[in-house]
């Protein structure tokens, strides 16, 4: 399977890029300890019903995983600018296999980031049953689908110079609206945030609290964003490859 | 024999340059037989890369057809029949040269053994180096290796020696000829006449999106006029000078005369004998750029090359 081989090399490359590795996994961890460690004895954070270490574990997982997924945008834009994408077009590798490799590599990084935060969480006293860990993780992985498509879209719309600042800024805003830095319980941010898939990553905590996952609204937000962004990614890819 | 590449009536126009649409390729017919080594020559902007892009299926012609081994470029590429080194392109980082070649090899049903590719492209001593640590010339060779990976019947090289030093160029062409000697078809674009002369059986000259000459390299060389004599000579008329043996055309700016010569040796002997007052004599090889202007002018407006040359100066 040619596509799988490409994925294997893509993963190898992703994990060899040390600087990227350090920043994309290091930042969320450092921020987690800075925010959650001083509040490690807060058992009901701002009326959410869950402890500060658990809340921020998910908050920063939302931040870290979104950043990992969108980072494929920078990688794609770079490979386009370098002419590598054109070189690949004169091999039998299909665009579908190329994107699959990018998405799988993004997921691998997102999962790594998430697992590191889980470990950090347990050091601050987060303790959940195996079922809760698994279901929570499952929901997070689903909520990342739209960001996989967003990375591909940005990779084809932006050039190398603009994609870095754009994705950095975008992740900061998305994290803010998702409740990474503090719980959103009411008001304007809460109204907007609910329509952002990242918000539902943080809401995956409901499994720990109520024992059930997302509301219908949560599923709808994630599914609709995924569909919209997949369509946008296709348009961006078509436009881009017809021009060259 | 079945042709490797068959281009018919190929036209490509790009929208919106600074001066309106750019007619990059204006109707090209070309047929290349199996086993030929063909140089695609022309100045920058002649349409070489656009033509190559269409051959490889990277861009779609506005009209006309491209057939590679009797199939569409996409089908030929999927079958591993075509390898190409594009004009621009960097290597992806964080892989060793060996891994990069293995990666590309894994995309094909059948590929050349890894060590054979590495040897052929002259990469043995840097095979374990990360791609981002290669010199310009080594990176070019790695890109050549990528083109060789499927062991293609048709090898397309778009200005392959751009970043190479003199030794690098020599090694590169040696490797290319070694590959061509296996009976493979090679098409390479260049704007160096010498490269075409030394490495191709046939040259196709492009200018302004058209093919202006096509034939054995020896024939093309004879056509472009090999040398130019510059001389300060107040008295002689253009007719008298053009009558000298070996002189093709002349041009005068005040007392300075330029003679474009097919045989500069004969022309110089005759010139000195007839006009002992001639001074400040310089003999220079004709620049390819000039030769192309001359050939284009013949095609574009049908007038003599001399007037066109004067006008473009």
């Amino acid at each position: 399977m040619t596509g799988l081989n490409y994925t294997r090399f893509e993963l190898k490359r992703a994990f060899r890029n040390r600087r990227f590795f350090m920043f994309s996994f290091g930042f969320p961890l450092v921020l987690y300890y800075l925010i959650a460690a001083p509040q490690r004895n807060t058992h009901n954070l701002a009326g959410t019903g869950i402890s500060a270490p658990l809340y921020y574990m998910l908050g920063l997982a939302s931040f870290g995983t979104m950043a990992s997924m969108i980072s494929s945008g920078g990688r794609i834009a770079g490979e386009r600018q370098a002419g590598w994408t054109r070189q690949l077009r004169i091999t039998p590798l299909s665009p579908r296999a190329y994107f699959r490799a990018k998405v799988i590599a993004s997921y691998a990084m997102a999962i790594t980031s998430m697992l590191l935060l889980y470990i950090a969480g347990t050091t601050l006293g987060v303790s959940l049953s195996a079922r809760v860990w698994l279901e929570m993780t499952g929901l997070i992985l689903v909520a990342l689908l739209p960001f996989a498509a967003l990375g591909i879209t940005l990779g084809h719309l932006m050039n190398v110079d603009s994609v870095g600042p754009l994705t950095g800024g975008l992740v900061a805003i998305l994290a803010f609206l998702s409740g990474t830095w503090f719980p959103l319980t009411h008001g304007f941010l809460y109204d907007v945030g609910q329509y952002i898939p990242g918000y539902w990553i943080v809401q995956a905590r409901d499994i720990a609290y109520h024992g059930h996952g997302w509301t219908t609204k949560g599923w709808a937000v994630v599914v609709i964003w995924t569909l919209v962004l997949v369509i946008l990614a296709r348009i961006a890819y078509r436009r881009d490859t017809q021009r060259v | 024999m079945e042709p490797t590449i068959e281009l018919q009536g190929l036209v490509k126009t790009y929208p919106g340059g600074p001066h309106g649409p750019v007619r990059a390729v204006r109707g090209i017919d070309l047929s290349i037989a199996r086993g030929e080594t063909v140089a695609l020559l022309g100045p920058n902007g002649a349409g070489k890369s656009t033509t190559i892009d269409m051959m490889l299926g990277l861009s779609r012609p506005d009209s006309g057809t491209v057939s590679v081994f009797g199939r569409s470029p996409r089908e030929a590429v999927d079958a591993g029949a075509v390898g190409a080194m594009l004009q621009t392109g960097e290597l992806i980082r964080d892989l060793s040269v060996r891994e990069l070649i293995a990666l590309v090899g894994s995309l094909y049903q059948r590929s050349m053994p890894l060590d054979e590719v590495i040897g052929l492209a002259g990469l043995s001593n840097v095979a374990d180096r990360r791609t981002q640590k290669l010199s310009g010339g080594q990176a070019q060779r790695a890109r050549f290796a990528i083109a060789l990976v499927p062991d293609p019947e048709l090898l397309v090289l778009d200005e392959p020696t751009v970043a190479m030093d003199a030794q690098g160029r020599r090694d590169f062409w040696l490797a290319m000829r070694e590959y061509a000697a296996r009976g493979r078809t090679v098409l390479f674009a260049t704007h160096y006449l010498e490269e075409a002369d030394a490495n191709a059986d046939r040259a196709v000259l492009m200018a302004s999106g058209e093919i202006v000459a096509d034939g054995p390299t020896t024939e093309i060389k004879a056509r472009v006029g090999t040398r130019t004599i510059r001389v300060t000579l107040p008295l002689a008329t253009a007719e008298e000078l053009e009558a000298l043996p070996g002189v093709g055309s002349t041009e005068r700016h005040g007392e300075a005369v330029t003679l474009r010569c097919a045989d500069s040796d004969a022309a110089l002997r005759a010139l000195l004998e007839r006009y002992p007052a001639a001074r400040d004599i310089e003999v220079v090889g004709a620049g390819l750029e000039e030769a192309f202007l001359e050939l284009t002018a013949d095609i574009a407006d049908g007038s003599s090359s001399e007037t066109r040359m004067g006008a473009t100066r």
Side-chain angles (χ1 to χ4, degrees):
Chain A
M1 261 302 284
T2 61
L4 290 184
N5 279 318
Y6 197 80
T7 304
R8 188 162 57 85
F9 283 103
E10 184 71 31
L11 283 170
K12 197 179 264 189
R13 289 181 58 220
F15 284 91
R16 270 184 191 170
N17 191 338
R18 287 222 188 89
R19 252 173 295 180
F20 181 83
F21 206 87
M22 257 164 43
F23 289 127
S24 55
F25 300 148
F27 269 139
L29 274 182
V30 170
L31 287 167
Y32 177 64
Y33 279 110
L34 283 177
I35 300 170
Q39 310 180 54
R40 60 184 306 171
N41 295 320
T42 307
H43 295 295
N44 183 358
L45 180 71
T48 55
I50 58 173
S51 70
L54 174 57
Y55 183 87
Y56 286 114
M57 184 182 84
L58 283 161
L60 283 145
S62 163
F63 170 73
T65 55
M66 282 193 292
S68 294
M69 296 309 284
I70 298 181
S71 74
S72 67
R75 299 167 71 85
I76 291 172
E79 289 178 12
R80 274 172 54 228
Q81 178 151 322
W84 180 248
T85 326
R86 268 163 70 80
Q87 185 71 50
L88 284 177
R89 284 174 62 203
I90 39 177
T91 71
L93 184 75
S94 67
R96 193 180 291 266
Y98 174 76
F99 290 129
R100 190 172 51 216
K102 287 276 176 263
V103 170
I104 291 175
S106 306
Y107 260 111
M109 287 189 283
I111 290 168
T112 309
S113 178
M114 193 170 65
L115 291 179
L116 289 172
L117 280 162
Y118 283 0
I119 293 167
T122 57
T123 67
L124 293 186
V126 172
S127 164
L128 301 167
S129 71
R131 190 187 67 88
V132 172
W133 279 117
L134 282 176
E135 288 187 14
M136 205 168 69
T137 304
L139 285 182
I140 293 174
L141 295 183
V142 171
L144 289 176
L145 279 171
F147 295 101
L150 181 61
I152 293 172
T153 309
L154 294 177
H156 284 282
L157 288 180
M158 300 290 142
N159 65 31
V160 157
D161 297 327
S162 59
V163 76
L166 181 95
T167 53
L170 196 60
V171 170
I173 293 170
L174 287 173
F176 191 65
L177 291 174
S178 303
T180 289
W181 312 120
F182 50 84
L184 304 175
T185 47
H186 60 276
F188 177 69
L189 289 178
Y190 170 72
D191 292 341
V192 178
Q194 287 182 67
Y195 296 98
I196 307 273
Y199 174 85
W200 295 96
I201 296 179
V202 185
Q203 295 309 306
R205 71 192 159 120
D206 274 357
I207 286 188
Y209 181 45
H210 302 298
H212 63 76
W214 294 333
T215 58
T216 316
K217 189 181 193 175
W219 284 102
V221 166
V222 170
V223 168
I224 290 170
W225 271 109
T226 304
L227 291 176
V228 168
L229 285 164
V230 165
I231 291 167
L232 276 180
R234 287 178 79 99
I235 294 171
Y237 171 75
R238 291 258 164 80
R239 249 189 38 164
D240 189 44
T241 48
Q242 264 162 27
R243 201 172 44 223
V244 286
Chain B
M1 194 154 92
E2 177 210 345
T4 298
I5 302 176
E6 184 88 58
L7 308 181
Q8 275 172 348
L10 222 50
V11 174
K12 181 78 185 177
T13 302
Y14 290 112
H19 310 291
V22 180
R23 296 171 64 202
V25 171
R26 316 181 174 200
I28 281 185
D29 299 300
L30 181 67
S31 178
I32 293 174
R34 210 175 273 254
E36 272 190 297
T37 301
V38 179
L40 190 57
L41 277 159
N44 291 329
K48 302 188 298 288
S49 291
T50 305
T51 304
I52 285 178
D53 281 357
M54 288 188 283
M55 275 180 202
L56 297 173
L58 287 173
S59 86
R60 214 171 296 148
D62 297 337
S63 64
T65 57
V66 180
S67 147
V68 182
F69 299 107
R71 293 178 278 193
S72 74
R74 183 72 250 168
E75 288 164 341
V77 163
D78 283 344
V82 184
M85 183 174 170
L86 300 171
Q87 188 179 0
T88 52
E90 294 160 33
L91 303 167
I92 45 171
R93 36 177 300 141
D94 298 318
L95 288 177
S96 72
V97 171
R98 186 186 296 278
E99 285 169 331
L100 179 73
I101 295 169
L103 158 65
V104 177
S106 76
L107 305 178
Y108 292 93
Q109 296 271 327
R110 196 184 58 85
S111 60
M112 204 190 282
L114 197 55
D115 288 321
E116 193 183 342
V117 180
I118 289 171
L120 199 54
L123 289 165
S124 306
N125 52 344
V126 291
D128 294 315
R129 197 171 293 178
R130 292 281 165 92
T131 52
Q132 63 263 35
K133 300 213 167 119
L134 299 178
S135 72
Q138 289 163 344
Q140 284 291 90
R141 267 181 282 161
R143 296 179 55 227
F144 178 52
I146 289 174
L148 291 175
V149 162
D151 200 1
E153 280 296 321
L154 168 65
L155 184 62
V156 178
L157 310 164
D158 194 355
E159 311 228 353
T161 57
V162 164
M164 295 183 187
D165 59 18
Q167 180 65 42
R169 274 166 206 255
R170 260 196 302 280
D171 294 345
F172 176 85
W173 289 116
L174 208 63
M176 190 285 284
R177 285 205 300 271
E178 195 183 321
Y179 194 72
R182 299 179 174 192
R184 304 302 160 79
T185 311
V186 180
L187 174 83
F188 66 87
T190 179
H191 50 244
Y192 300 112
L193 190 57
E194 319 84 76
E195 289 193 337
D197 189 23
N199 302 294
D201 320 318
R202 173 180 164 197
V204 174
L205 266 73
M206 285 189 72
S208 313
E210 290 176 73
I211 292 176
V212 295
D214 181 355
T217 44
T218 44
E219 209 173 90
I220 303 280
K221 257 204 320 188
R223 266 190 78 172
V224 296
T226 46
R227 296 238 158 75
T228 298
I229 298 176
R230 293 207 191 95
V231 59
T232 306
L233 187 59
L235 293 169
T237 67
E239 290 74 35
E240 285 168 359
L241 290 171
E242 275 169 21
L244 292 174
V247 175
S249 63
T250 65
E251 191 183 309
R252 178 181 281 282
H253 292 285
E255 296 194 345
V257 179
T258 304
L259 311 173
R260 268 181 298 279
C261 308
D263 181 350
S264 57
D265 297 338
L268 192 57
R269 282 192 197 95
L271 180 77
L272 287 170
E273 194 179 313
R274 194 90 41 93
Y275 305 100
R279 57 195 161 83
D280 305 332
I281 299 170
E282 282 176 50
V283 183
V284 291
L288 190 64
E289 209 68 31
E290 274 184 5
F292 280 118
L293 282 172
E294 195 158 352
L295 279 162
T296 341
D298 288 344
I299 303 293
D301 56 25
S303 60
S304 85
S305 55
E306 190 187 347
T307 50
R308 174 58 184 262
M309 289 298 283
T312 51
R313 287 271 159 95

